[in-house]
Amino acid sequence: GSVHAATRWYERCLRRLPASGLTRAEREVRLHVTLAYAAARHRQGKFPECLDWAKRAESDAIELGDKASQAKALDRLHVAATYLGLPEAETYGPAALALHRALGDHLSQARILDNMGIQRYFAYDWDTALDLYGQAAQAGRVAGDVIEANLGRMNAAEVISDRGLFESATAEFHDVLRNWRAAGWAFGIAAAGSNLGLALARDGDSDNGVTMLREALDRFKEIGAEEFIAETTIRLAEASTHAGAFDDARAHAEAGLAIVSDPQGRSRILRQLATCAAAAGRKSEAVERLRESVELAREAGAKYEEGLSCIMLASVSSADGAQASRGTALLAELGVVALPPAMR
């Protein structure tokens, strides 16, 4: 569960290898360590580094004729490109899936199908994402792997939660968390706990939701998963607004602004800050925050975030009333049937 410790060992191993003139055995070692290092950078949310190391691994795998390792390198290239918003993600995923299928590797098929689902989730093609998550869970079950059999379920439940089916999402997250606790998967326990905490808060159980999110944040800090620390901080801000704990929400949101740079994430944070301002009667601040939130979401193509911020903006500013119809249309396109409590 300690990604920091793992990366230090990988770096030591790589430094021990000759800079040139490697034997085949040494090149194979470098390939496997490079793949592991890329995976560690993925878990830390350091996607540019993950991309760089995965490219090195792919090059070595092709040169060595190692199809299985080439496919694993493509897995990492795909997930990094997805999170970085690179167009290459469209080719990396299918290429990896084709290799895994040719090799009869169901476990790796589950992993890439999950990542392809994440790609479609961020592209706001949620129906396709759900289909890919379902295929991933099935491939994980065929492989007999408790982690991959549940990863697709967790990711699918995240879509269900965003769509407003909070009770169903909560039940799924509870079950996934139980399975991963039994398996002792530290990262999965933190991830499922973070998802469950937000779903609980959205379903009206804000106190337990905030508690779960705080525990998940502590776990991610122990692991050193920086991207997930940022995500859970944003979720804590949202859960706190659902609880009506606006001072806490503002503190989490401001902490998020210090570590989040992407437009989608900042759009979410600004909406929580607007909620806090509106609750305190600072209407002009709320309107300013929401207008910026809408602009950032639109810039990022983040339909869900834009929809929520448009609806909230229209509710606090009569001058922005036309935003309500746009927000409603965006959320209807995504299949959203209910809004989180702070938006009602």
Side-chain angles (χ1 to χ4, degrees):
S2 177
V3 181
H4 283 313
T7 56
R8 288 196 296 271
W9 282 107
Y10 297 146
E11 288 163 359
R12 288 180 66 182
C13 183
L14 290 168
R15 285 196 297 270
R16 292 291 184 93
L17 290 168
S20 60
L22 278 71
T23 66
R24 181 177 179 87
E26 289 169 334
R27 285 157 61 203
E28 288 174 347
V29 169
R30 183 176 69 182
L31 167 59
H32 293 304
V33 175
T34 300
L35 277 172
Y37 195 70
R41 290 311 194 197
H42 168 202
R43 287 302 175 207
Q44 290 179 310
K46 296 183 176 181
F47 297 110
E49 293 181 45
C50 174
L51 188 76
D52 178 58
W53 286 96
K55 284 181 178 179
R56 299 186 198 189
E58 182 193 28
S59 178
D60 276 348
I62 291 171
E63 190 174 340
L64 290 166
D66 185 340
K67 295 292 186 182
S69 293
Q70 182 186 352
K72 290 175 182 176
L74 285 166
D75 288 347
R76 298 302 171 187
L77 286 169
H78 176 260
V79 74
T82 295
Y83 278 96
L84 293 170
L86 302 178
E88 291 87 347
E90 297 290 344
T91 56
Y92 287 143
L97 181 59
L99 273 175
H100 291 314
R101 283 177 170 164
L103 293 166
D105 185 345
H106 292 285
L107 181 57
S108 295
Q109 286 177 48
R111 290 171 179 155
I112 190 61
L113 284 164
D114 261 318
N115 288 337
M116 290 170 72
I118 291 169
Q119 180 187 358
R120 300 323 306 163
Y121 172 76
F122 284 127
Y124 294 92
D125 180 5
W126 286 357
D127 287 337
T128 302
L130 287 171
D131 178 61
L132 288 164
Y133 291 149
Q135 292 183 52
Q138 176 59 24
R141 286 191 290 271
V142 171
D145 188 278
V146 69
I147 292 173
E148 293 300 331
N150 285 276
L151 189 55
R153 293 179 62 200
M154 184 186 75
N155 288 333
E158 189 173 358
V159 177
I160 293 168
S161 176
D162 286 347
R163 282 181 161 173
L165 301 170
F166 307 125
E167 186 176 350
S168 297
T170 297
E172 279 291 275
F173 291 138
H174 268 300
D175 197 46
V176 170
L177 179 58
R178 177 181 58 80
N179 290 334
W180 283 345
R181 277 176 172 160
W185 186 33
F187 180 86
I189 293 167
S194 177
N195 279 311
L196 175 57
L198 182 58
L200 285 169
R202 287 174 170 178
D203 198 31
D205 189 358
S206 302
D207 290 342
N208 282 326
V210 169
T211 298
M212 297 274 328
L213 284 162
R214 289 185 185 278
E215 291 175 357
L217 182 60
D218 288 342
R219 288 181 182 275
F220 282 133
K221 287 178 178 177
E222 289 173 9
I223 294 168
E226 295 175 14
E227 179 74 13
F228 300 93
I229 291 169
E231 172 63 26
T232 305
T233 300
I234 297 174
R235 291 178 177 188
L236 267 167
E238 180 184 336
S240 297
T241 62
H242 298 325
F246 297 112
D247 288 343
D248 288 345
R250 188 176 189 88
H252 291 308
E254 288 174 348
L257 283 178
I259 58 176
V260 174
S261 59
D262 67 282
Q264 180 190 21
R266 293 183 74 84
S267 172
R268 294 166 63 194
I269 293 168
L270 288 168
R271 189 171 61 252
Q272 305 314 321
L273 286 171
T275 304
C276 296
R282 300 191 301 274
K283 179 180 175 180
S284 60
E285 179 188 338
V287 171
E288 181 183 353
R289 297 282 197 186
L290 285 166
R291 285 175 178 167
E292 187 178 355
S293 175
V294 169
E295 289 176 9
L296 286 171
R298 197 166 291 165
E299 173 191 332
K303 294 180 181 180
Y304 181 65
E305 308 308 334
E306 183 185 350
L308 291 178
S309 294
C310 280
I311 288 172
M312 187 173 178
L313 177 58
S315 73
V316 298
S317 170
S318 57
D320 295 280
Q323 297 284 2
S325 59
R326 176 170 176 80
T328 300
L330 285 169
L331 296 182
E333 178 186 335
L334 295 172
V336 175
V337 297
L339 299 177
M343 297 287 301
R344 295 172 193 164

